[in-house]
Amino acid sequence: MRPVSFTANPTYQIPLNMRTNTQAIRSGLAANGINPVLGKTTYRTQRVLDLLQTLTFTNRGADNWSNLSQLNQGLVISLINYFSKNDNVNYGNARGSLIENYGQYCNYCGMPVQDSSLAVEHRLPKAEFPGLMLNYMNFFLACPMCNSYKGSKPTFTVCRSWAINRQGIPAPNMVEVGNGGYDRQVWPNRPAAYTGFTPILYNQTTDAQVPLQYALNINNDVVNTENNTVQAILPGYKNGQEVTVAVRFESVDALVQGLREDNFISIVNLNFTEADNYSDRRVTNRTVAWMNALLSMFRLSGFQPGSAEYDYMVNQILSTVQAAGYYSIWAYVFYQKSPPTVQNSVYTSFKTETADPTRPQFYFPGTNAANMP
Ligand SMILES: [Zn+2]
């Protein structure tokens, strides 16, 4: 996780017009009073999206759009398909703008993804909120695992109940239902995206937290990562024997804010581990990042703070972080080992450089440094 900013100007905009020959769409739009603005096949995109919002509200979360007329069921399903696949009017066309703003990292787990598997993810899912399919404010970037766990959550029904429970609105309208969904969890653009979670090193065998003095020892050493788990030697812990460890995220707040944080963790199954499940490497790679952050602090400890060598080493570490991803892990370890209160603080360098677009070799695009301690 990483605090990101929505203030960057998106270069993506919803195309003014859409063209379609699909009969289910054309007849469905005609039945709802939406006619072509040009020829027989060109419509105003926003009008169609607005209609989808209205139909979503009318449906009230029923499965398969079963509260709608048969004509409108076909219309909604055809439009979801259209906005997913059409060459010119397709939410995937926002990927470039999102990468410019957020970088090539999953907005949920922090994994670097540098190809087309970095998906344009809908905060309020497209299967439940098709009217927001092209809305930039509804987009994040997600890795395949986070995207597939998140699936079609949160549902319309969940968002609506959240709007009722949290905001005291007995009969929320469509905008309020959407806001209910946005309000039900921490998102990467919320201040708590960084400060609302603590990464904690666990002994995976005993399920016990590793005491911080051992978890943050710069002499810790990864032995191997077989079976999609991390075996490490933590000097002084368990008589120096090899231990299977994993870094989990835990929410830090109580009550409603804590619930929002827990919802973030659960909606993408952020702490899921399974030996031999090599397709979900998020926890393993996050744990390796933790160990590498400590190793980098060990190497840095060989240099005099403030010396040229020290500065070179810090720069090298920041380049490594940018390539490795898992931003919040590095930030946490730096904060613990070299906090802002000391001279030549690695954390302060990290915070400064990751949010500085003039230093592209260290920069995590769109980082909102104001939300970091
Ligand atoms: Zn992810």
Side-chain angles (χ1 to χ4, degrees):
M1 280 160 288
R2 173 166 65 96
V4 298
S5 172
F6 265 139
T7 55
N9 266 339
T11 51
Y12 169 84
Q13 288 191 330
I14 296 173
L16 179 65
N17 292 327
M18 55 178 278
R19 288 185 64 179
T20 177
N21 286 314
T22 304
Q23 195 53 44
I25 296 179
R26 291 173 56 197
S27 52
L29 291 177
N32 286 282
I34 296 183
N35 299 308
V37 289
L38 207 69
K40 292 180 176 173
T41 56
T42 302
Y43 299 86
R44 284 276 187 263
T45 314
Q46 190 60 56
R47 273 205 79 189
V48 175
L49 293 168
D50 291 344
L51 172 65
L52 275 173
Q53 287 283 82
T54 304
L55 293 175
T56 302
F57 191 70
T58 305
N59 181 59
R60 301 214 157 228
D63 286 347
N64 305 315
W65 306 97
S66 57
N67 279 344
L68 301 181
S69 70
Q70 207 157 11
L71 188 75
N72 279 336
Q73 288 175 30
L75 174 64
V76 171
I77 290 161
S78 299
L79 283 173
I80 291 174
N81 194 41
Y82 177 90
F83 289 129
S84 300
K85 293 181 181 153
N86 185 275
D87 283 349
N88 300 314
V89 189
N90 168 355
Y91 67 86
N93 294 340
R95 181 181 282 108
S97 175
L98 290 163
I99 288 173
E100 276 174 45
N101 277 343
Y102 304 139
Q104 302 180 98
Y105 308 92
C106 175
N107 276 137
Y108 293 92
C109 70
M111 179 191 292
V113 185
Q114 299 176 337
D115 62 14
S116 61
S117 52
L118 184 62
V120 177
E121 196 280 316
H122 292 86
R123 300 165 75 192
L124 300 184
K126 59 181 187 292
E128 297 276 329
F129 294 88
L132 301 176
M133 275 183 80
L134 301 183
N135 187 333
Y136 196 84
M137 300 301 278
N138 197 40
F139 296 154
F140 279 125
L141 293 168
C143 74
M145 291 317 298
C146 288
N147 199 21
S148 99
Y149 280 123
K150 185 165 175 296
S152 293
K153 294 174 288 193
T155 63
F156 179 96
T157 306
V158 163
C159 294
R160 186 171 177 279
S161 70
W162 193 261
I164 293 168
N165 294 339
R166 286 296 313 133
Q167 295 157 6
I169 305 163
N173 63 30
M174 189 61 193
V175 171
E176 288 158 349
V177 169
N179 286 339
Y182 288 138
D183 193 39
R184 84 180 285 274
Q185 70 172 71
V186 170
W187 300 91
N189 64 320
R190 282 262 175 98
Y194 178 73
T195 54
F197 303 92
T198 302
I200 291 173
L201 189 72
Y202 273 84
N203 178 335
Q204 229 184 327
T205 312
T206 62
D207 209 34
Q209 189 175 338
V210 176
L212 262 192
Q213 66 186 105
Y214 304 116
L216 289 170
N217 188 331
I218 60 172
N219 292 303
N220 287 349
D221 197 17
V222 172
V223 179
N224 68 60
T225 57
E226 286 167 17
N227 303 321
N228 198 26
T229 53
V230 179
Q231 283 84 43
I233 302 279
L234 314 177
Y237 180 70
K238 298 283 175 196
N239 300 318
Q241 289 172 355
E242 207 174 295
V243 196
T244 304
V245 290
V247 175
R248 296 178 201 158
F249 281 107
E250 294 189 359
S251 58
V252 303
D253 293 303
L255 301 173
V256 172
Q257 183 57 22
L259 189 61
R260 289 193 180 104
E261 292 156 5
D262 289 339
N263 282 345
F264 182 104
I265 292 167
S266 71
I267 207 166
V268 291
N269 218 351
L270 202 59
N271 290 329
F272 179 78
T273 53
E274 189 175 56
D276 290 324
N277 180 350
Y278 286 95
S279 56
D280 186 353
R281 302 274 288 163
R282 297 174 300 170
V283 174
T284 296
N285 291 338
R286 175 201 307 163
T287 307
V288 168
W290 175 290
M291 291 299 179
N292 280 338
L294 290 168
L295 178 61
S296 70
M297 296 309 294
F298 168 78
R299 289 176 174 151
L300 185 65
S301 70
F303 300 103
Q304 191 64 34
S307 66
E309 292 85 351
Y310 182 95
D311 289 344
Y312 277 127
M313 189 69 199
V314 169
N315 282 343
Q316 179 55 50
I317 291 170
L318 298 184
S319 295
T320 302
V321 180
Q322 209 241 18
Y326 298 97
Y327 171 102
S328 52
I329 297 300
W330 296 86
Y332 178 77
V333 172
F334 293 156
Y335 192 83
Q336 297 296 325
K337 306 306 291 185
S338 181
T341 48
V342 302
Q343 276 202 325
N344 307 105
S345 158
V346 177
Y347 179 78
T348 300
S349 294
F350 174 76
K351 180 178 173 180
T352 309
E353 306 290 3
T354 55
D356 181 357
T358 67
R359 303 290 300 277
Q361 67 272 43
F362 309 137
Y363 175 46
F364 282 78
T367 301
N368 189 346
N371 286 338
M372 299 170 69

